[in-house]
Amino acid sequence: MSANNAFHVAVLAGDGIGPEVMAPALEILRRIEAKSGLSFRFTDAPAGANNYLATGKSMPDATVRLCEEADAILLGACGLPSVRYPDDTEIAPQIELRFHFDLYAGVRPARLIPGVPSPIVGADARGIDLVLIRESTEGLFASMGKGVVKHEDARETLVITRKTSERLFEFSFRLAERRKARGKAGALTCVDKANVFRAFAFFRGMFDEAARRHPDVTAERLYVDACAAMLAKRPWDFDVLVTENMFGDILSDLTASLIGGLGMAPSADIGDRYAVFQPCHGTAPDIMGQGKANPTGMILSAAMMLDWLADKHGVESAAEAGERIERAVDQAYAGGLKPMEFGGRNGTADITRAVLAGL
Ligand code: ATP
């Protein structure tokens, strides 16, 4: 547990551009520390494909123990397409952490920062500010490593449980309520395929029960295919969405692309006690080591960490610090910052400098 305003953060920089985006985020948190009365202790720990190559494990037991002891976990990105387990799957400690710490709520905000180009016509004027919540411990991913492949067929099993769904919907309605208190719409959309699969009718039934407990939030329901089409046409109509793991995996890459690119999108995987904060993007081996990586998603993930720590420990100054980081990012983009990720000239160092200047 943290003492007063002092937080211990486990830092898993990972592979590829992971360490390249982690360094700016830590620099920004150090600057926040100097100005806010908060204090951070960062402890680095190995995880990912490079660790697997060196040791035969995705992460050492010591990394898991550190994560158990820390107040929060910051993660860069892990896995490399060229490094695989014998069954040809990638090294993914980020997914193992979700299961180990029961991080059922994958929070994927997609906010279009003014000045950042969106591929959606009208988004500049109407804005995009939504949060997709992806269940992260079951659904189709419950089958991870357990699929049965025979010569004639292959099977993976999707799992929806009452225990996880009820906590997921409670978390989602509470998030919609917190956003409403900050002036947002206060609407929650359940995204499923309840017209075809019984497991999703079960999922929707539990959503309906939770909706009755939260009458202040407008509860809506959509099939995943219709939702994908609407996200691409009218993303400004959404506030908070909640969905199954695999649907969320796909839709969160879609929502990240609405706001300028994967490098812009932060994320958090949250459970009842632990939370991991990491950008939505992967290790981007095609640009690693070239100074081109956009650290914005990682920086905004660090801001989400501060907001979560504030809520968990009742430390209001941490929430203010998180908002200060968001404002500094907005200011940097309003000043004309254009990451190389979407055709501009600004690499990792420029973006970091601009955000630090905003602070
Ligand atoms: P994963 O499966 O691990 O999520 P992925 O296959 O989705 O990874 P990424 O590593 O996220 O792929 O990269 C997808 C594309 O987006 C690549 O072309 C990469 O260069 C680009 N990209 C991802 N993150 C960033 C970033 N932070 N800055 C600039 N470009 C990025």
Side-chain angles (χ1 to χ4, degrees):
M1 264 296 276
S2 63
N4 305 321
N5 298 349
F7 297 110
H8 181 202
V9 180
V11 176
L12 281 55
D15 305 303
I17 63 166
E20 298 173 35
V21 296
M22 182 63 79
L26 297 184
E27 208 178 331
I28 281 153
L29 287 172
R30 282 282 177 234
R31 181 68 64 88
I32 284 289
E33 188 175 38
K35 289 175 172 249
S36 65
L38 298 170
S39 100
F40 303 112
R41 179 157 64 92
F42 299 124
T43 307
D44 292 314
N50 289 316
N51 189 73
Y52 176 76
L53 283 179
T55 67
K57 289 184 82 173
S58 63
M59 43 185 172
D61 296 340
T63 296
V64 178
R65 271 199 306 279
L66 168 73
C67 292
E68 284 168 357
E69 287 161 20
D71 293 305
I73 302 156
L74 271 183
L75 199 142
C78 289
L80 292 170
S82 55
V83 182
R84 305 220 169 213
Y85 289 118
D87 69 357
D88 209 34
T89 57
E90 277 192 41
I91 317 305
Q94 66 277 25
I95 301 179
E96 293 163 31
L97 288 172
R98 284 175 203 158
F99 288 108
H100 183 82
F101 289 111
D102 199 13
L103 310 177
Y104 53 86
V107 183
R108 310 283 185 265
R111 183 174 68 90
L112 182 64
I113 294 174
V116 174
S118 167
I120 306 300
V121 177
D124 294 347
R126 312 225 26 188
I128 300 172
D129 187 355
L130 59 85
V131 181
L132 179 82
I133 300 172
R134 161 192 179 183
E135 196 292 313
S136 298
T137 56
E138 49 186 47
L140 194 53
F141 281 68
S143 187
M144 210 176 82
K146 300 181 200 146
V148 178
V149 179
K150 296 190 196 148
H151 185 62
E152 297 302 330
D153 57 23
R155 276 152 221 265
E156 307 270 358
T157 305
L158 178 143
V159 177
I160 304 281
T161 68
R162 177 172 292 280
K163 183 173 176 225
T164 298
S165 304
E166 285 182 346
R167 287 185 297 164
L168 175 78
F169 293 136
E170 204 52 39
F171 178 94
S172 306
F173 275 103
R174 273 191 42 232
L175 182 74
E177 281 163 356
R178 276 181 70 204
R179 280 170 62 86
K180 192 174 181 183
R182 293 178 185 178
K184 309 282 164 69
L188 177 65
T189 307
C190 179
V191 181
D192 56 46
K193 195 73 186 168
N195 52 337
V196 177
F197 297 105
R198 290 176 183 171
F200 282 114
F202 175 62
F203 188 70
R204 187 179 283 206
M206 289 180 286
F207 174 83
D208 291 342
E209 284 167 22
R212 285 193 279 278
R213 291 192 294 273
H214 297 273
D216 292 348
V217 174
T218 309
E220 284 161 353
R221 297 119 187 117
L222 262 185
Y223 300 131
V224 64
D225 41 349
C227 179
M230 276 184 70
L231 277 170
K233 275 192 206 152
R234 306 180 52 80
W236 41 83
D237 281 351
F238 290 99
D239 184 14
V240 184
L241 304 98
V242 58
T243 192
E244 178 270 338
N245 208 343
M246 184 67 166
F247 291 162
D249 184 36
I250 299 164
L251 292 180
S252 62
D253 265 30
L254 168 60
T255 53
S257 72
L258 302 178
I259 57 159
L262 276 174
M264 297 298 296
S267 88
D269 290 323
I270 298 179
D272 291 336
R273 170 136 183 250
Y274 297 95
V276 174
F277 300 85
Q278 71 168 119
C280 277
H281 62 77
T283 53
D286 54 328
I287 56 161
M288 69 181 272
Q290 299 168 40
K292 292 180 180 171
N294 180 359
T296 307
M298 181 79 240
I299 292 167
L300 291 173
S301 302
M304 287 178 80
M305 176 184 80
L306 294 179
D307 191 52
W308 179 77
L309 285 169
D311 194 38
K312 185 155 186 270
H313 298 282
V315 180
E316 190 49 35
S317 58
E320 285 160 13
E323 282 171 26
R324 201 181 311 158
I325 293 177
E326 278 192 12
R327 279 200 304 275
V329 168
D330 285 11
Q331 203 175 314
Y333 282 95
L337 197 63
K338 259 255 163 77
M340 291 175 181
E341 186 188 10
F342 34 94
R345 296 161 58 100
N346 300 121
T348 317
D350 288 347
I351 298 168
T352 309
R353 249 194 313 275
V355 177
L356 282 169
L359 285 175

